[in-house]
Amino acid sequence: MTDLFDLTGKVALITGGTQGIGLAIGLLLGKAGAIVCVNGRNNEKLQICKDVFKAHDLDIFTLKFDVTDESDVDKGVSMIEKSAGPVDILVNNAGIIKRIPIIDMAIADFKNIIDVDLVAPLVVSKRVVRKMIEKRSGKIINMCSMMSVYGRNTVSAYASAKGGLKLLTQNMTCEWAKYNIQINGIGPGYIATSLTAPLREKGHPFNDLVMSRTPAGRWGEPEDVANAALFLASKASDFINGHILYVDGGILANFGYVKGENEV
Ligand code: NAP
């Protein structure tokens, strides 16, 4: 039973894994035995991440590279291959959001979000997938969102990217599943990380909205998402292909219900 989630010896690259959801995923995959590699753009955050792993008695490779830069990605993955081996598990987690109404959004800002949240998962996946094809084995997990299927004010670029990432996940599946590579997505609901910190302040109307609309009655924790990542990285998901696993406390199941407002 426990073997099902054993990742001993598997090389896992988690992009943007220095904090939040990526850090929780790295720690859990590390505890399951994976050789964890994490990248980010900020040296200080990479060092803090190293210290966190050390405090958990876990080893980690940290690499500074920008996931939007093809040649940087190539160099970063080559270093991983030299020191740890080919990537067996890729978690395309790095992501950014900018909350700007469409009418005010500079095209450069829109493109920047599409670049990080949609194009970069393609860039990194393309770089690692050839070795997965050779090995006839691999797991790719794309960090989608509930915005992969819904829109909302001010997040047009993010939702466009995450909606695209859902379909990219399905299209990668169409082309690569035959090589025993499982490509799936995770769609987190509202998770307490720095990405959502501005929305979680007490009294912020959005905080009230999340609390009242989420059937589970709370924000998600990064560890809630990491548990889903472990499943999708493990043998337990070997016949799950092109699926988006929503980890959202039920918010997507809950059309229009607001606690205390429209109870019948
Ligand atoms: P976070 O705390 O802001 O962390 C984002 C990570 O991405 C950081 O480690 C950051 O490192 C890295 N990153 C950003 N741009 C990068 C780039 N160009 N190259 C390399 N690394 C880059 O975010 P989070 O909340 O944990 O979110 C993680 C993922 O889950 C994202 O894809 C996000 O869209 C998705 N998600 C989050 C939520 C939520 O409620 N939090 C909901 C749905 C989906 P540096 O600072 O060093 O660049």
Side-chain angles (χ1 to χ4, degrees), residues 15-22 39-42 45 65-68 92-96 116-117 143-146 158 162 187-196 219:
T15 69
T18 55
Q19 61 186 45
I21 291 171
N39 88 300
R41 294 169 302 179
N42 180 307
K45 286 189 198 175
F65 65 85
D66 187 320
V67 285
T68 63
N92 281 311
N93 169 79
I96 56 168
V116 179
D117 293 359
M143 201 53 70
C144 298
S145 165
M146 32 184 296
Y158 184 79
K162 296 294 187 180
Y190 291 104
I191 311 296
T193 68
S194 66
L195 197 92
T196 52
W219 285 77

Side-chain angles (χ1 to χ4, degrees), residues 208-209 211-215 253-264:
D208 296 342
L209 184 120
M211 295 299 284
S212 60
R213 285 203 182 227
T214 305
N254 182 29
F255 176 74
Y257 170 77
V258 179
K259 197 175 170 200
E261 271 181 24
N262 54 359
E263 284 183 72
V264 287

Side-chain angles (χ1 to χ4, degrees), residues 11-251:
V11 176
L13 167 60
I14 297 115
T15 69
T18 55
Q19 61 186 45
I21 291 171
L23 176 60
I25 293 174
L27 283 171
L28 190 59
L29 300 195
K31 284 176 193 167
I35 302 160
V36 175
C37 312
V38 152
N39 88 300
R41 294 169 302 179
N42 180 307
N43 278 330
E44 202 181 326
K45 286 189 198 175
L46 284 164
Q47 185 55 51
I48 294 170
C49 174
K50 245 184 178 167
D51 295 341
V52 173
F53 268 71
K54 206 170 168 196
H56 283 82
D57 264 336
L58 293 169
D59 290 328
I60 184 175
F61 287 95
T62 55
L63 297 119
K64 187 179 172 191
F65 65 85
D66 187 320
V67 285
T68 63
D69 183 323
E70 229 180 317
S71 91
D72 237 22
V73 167
D74 183 42
K75 282 183 210 141
V77 174
S78 297
M79 278 175 69
I80 293 170
E81 287 171 347
K82 261 188 216 134
S83 25
V87 174
D88 299 293
I89 301 161
L90 166 65
V91 185
N92 281 311
N93 169 79
I96 56 168
I97 193 167
K98 291 179 189 174
R99 298 181 179 88
I100 308 170
I102 296 171
I103 199 128
D104 299 325
M105 181 170 253
I107 299 301
D109 278 331
F110 194 95
K111 285 184 172 170
N112 175 228
I113 294 165
I114 298 286
D115 237 19
V116 179
D117 293 359
L118 176 58
V119 182
L122 174 69
V123 169
V124 186
S125 300
K126 272 192 76 180
R127 176 58 185 80
V128 304
V129 80
R130 283 181 202 282
K131 290 261 161 59
M132 289 181 176
I133 291 172
E134 273 171 32
K135 286 176 86 172
R136 293 292 193 271
S137 168
K139 301 273 185 185
I140 297 178
I141 302 168
N142 292 324
M143 201 53 70
C144 298
S145 165
M146 32 184 296
M147 295 296 132
S148 295
V149 283
Y150 280 119
R152 193 169 64 71
N153 290 349
T154 76
V155 294
S156 59
Y158 184 79
S160 302
K162 296 294 187 180
L165 188 56
K166 171 180 177 284
L167 279 168
L168 183 61
T169 303
Q170 292 171 209
N171 279 272
M172 285 175 171
T173 296
C174 294
E175 298 195 15
W176 298 338
K178 60 177 173 281
Y179 303 114
N180 190 32
I181 301 167
Q182 290 80 47
I183 305 103
N184 291 290
I186 297 177
Y190 291 104
I191 311 296
T193 68
S194 66
L195 197 92
T196 52
L199 308 175
R200 275 182 289 113
E201 284 160 22
K202 226 174 166 194
H204 193 295
F206 200 82
N207 185 45
D208 296 342
L209 184 120
V210 170
M211 295 299 284
S212 60
R213 285 203 182 227
T214 305
R218 66 171 175 89
W219 285 77
E221 296 298 329
E223 291 72 21
D224 292 316
V225 183
N227 294 339
L230 174 59
F231 169 61
L232 293 176
S234 75
K235 285 197 282 282
S237 60
D238 275 357
F239 196 55
I240 297 182
N241 301 81
H243 182 75
I244 310 298
L245 176 51
Y246 292 98
V247 181
D248 68 347
I251 195 165

